[in-house]
Amino acid sequence: MSLGSWHDRDGKEKIGILDAFSAFIRGKLFLSKCRQVEMYKIGIIGAGTVGTALAVKLNRTGYRVSAVHSRSPDSARELAGAIGSCQVYPDAQGVADNADLVFITTPDDAISRIAGSVRWHGGQSVAHCSGADSTGVLGPAAGAGAH
């Protein structure tokens, strides 16, 4: 995971995931930075209770939740409708291709399978929301250059 900020391949400054998540937890935005930088495009894989709550909270605090996929298309459409400018994708790859930061909020037994089935992009951030699994289940994402 990155600290601080950096510039992407297009020269746009990005806020590091730890800074963004810290601000989310505190319920605050980086108001001075938000005027100057493009925020992460956030994707959610798994539109159940955790994924929906996380996406709605991130959206309400000013973060751009732009992509969602869920095994239940109805759940994905419901989440996207609650957010507004969120695109539903038919597979997890669509989310990975259209987000800088991806939260995998599926049941624990699906996290490793999803992490291994997606072609991650270098520099992309990936997190899971399991209380039982370590970050080791995201090994395939790290192997592809995601952090």
Side-chain angles (χ1 to χ4, degrees), residues 68-108:
V68 63
H69 164 72
S70 190
R71 67 181 173 184
S72 163
D74 289 340
S75 295
R77 283 190 293 274
E78 188 174 319
L79 186 154
I83 299 298
S85 63
C86 184
Q87 176 72 38
V88 175
Y89 289 92
D91 54 34
Q93 187 63 54
V95 173
D97 290 343
N98 291 283
D100 303 308
L101 165 60
V102 177
F103 285 99
I104 302 175
T105 59
T106 61
D108 292 355

